[in-house]
Amino acid sequence: CSQALLAVLRKGGVRCDLDALLQEGELLSRHFITLADLPEDQLTCLTQACELAEVMDPSSAPLLTTVDVFESQAFWSKEAICRAAEAFTSGGRVEVDRRALHSEAVHG
């Protein structure tokens, strides 16, 4: 939070637990990982998943070029493994939680 934002919130009479808001923001934040920074086993897992999706929908190829991998401390569920990128809602990029690239987490 910037000082300017805090001043606006105070001036507006907003009453909240700033520490709780900051902790929630940190928990929900995502950090993107470049494909070059993925270990070989995770990159292989992602590549195989993209290839499988392309077999099912050939129009999506090359899928690997439209995938962003992110890390997050938010609660993880198998239902939230992959979603359309918020900035590219139509025909754009796909975001994949890095935890999905660990076979023991997904199949364990």
Side-chain angles (χ1 to χ4, degrees):
C1 260
S2 69
Q3 290 300 324
L5 178 58
L6 290 174
V8 168
L9 292 173
R10 286 187 192 110
K11 186 175 181 179
V14 174
R15 303 207 189 283
C16 59
D17 182 352
L18 184 57
D19 288 333
L21 286 176
L22 292 173
Q23 287 177 346
E24 181 181 351
E26 179 63 28
L27 181 66
L28 297 176
S29 69
R30 296 178 295 167
H31 308 281
F32 288 90
I33 308 299
T34 64
L35 297 182
D37 290 334
L38 289 175
E40 189 173 335
D41 63 324
Q42 291 178 10
L43 186 57
T44 299
C45 181
L46 180 61
T47 302
Q48 291 173 346
C50 288
E51 290 171 352
L52 179 61
E54 291 167 6
V55 167
M56 299 304 295
D57 181 8
S59 68
S60 66
L63 190 56
L64 193 60
T65 63
T66 63
V67 172
D68 294 316
V69 178
F70 69 90
E71 288 182 331
S72 174
Q73 295 180 14
F75 177 76
W76 185 77
S77 69
K78 291 180 183 176
E79 292 77 27
I81 288 174
C82 182
R83 61 177 169 246
E86 293 173 3
F88 301 93
T89 54
S90 62
R93 301 188 71 77
V94 175
E95 296 178 350
V96 175
D97 191 320
R98 185 177 188 176
R99 293 172 285 190
L101 304 178
H102 296 280
S103 61
E104 64 277 358
V106 176
H107 301 292

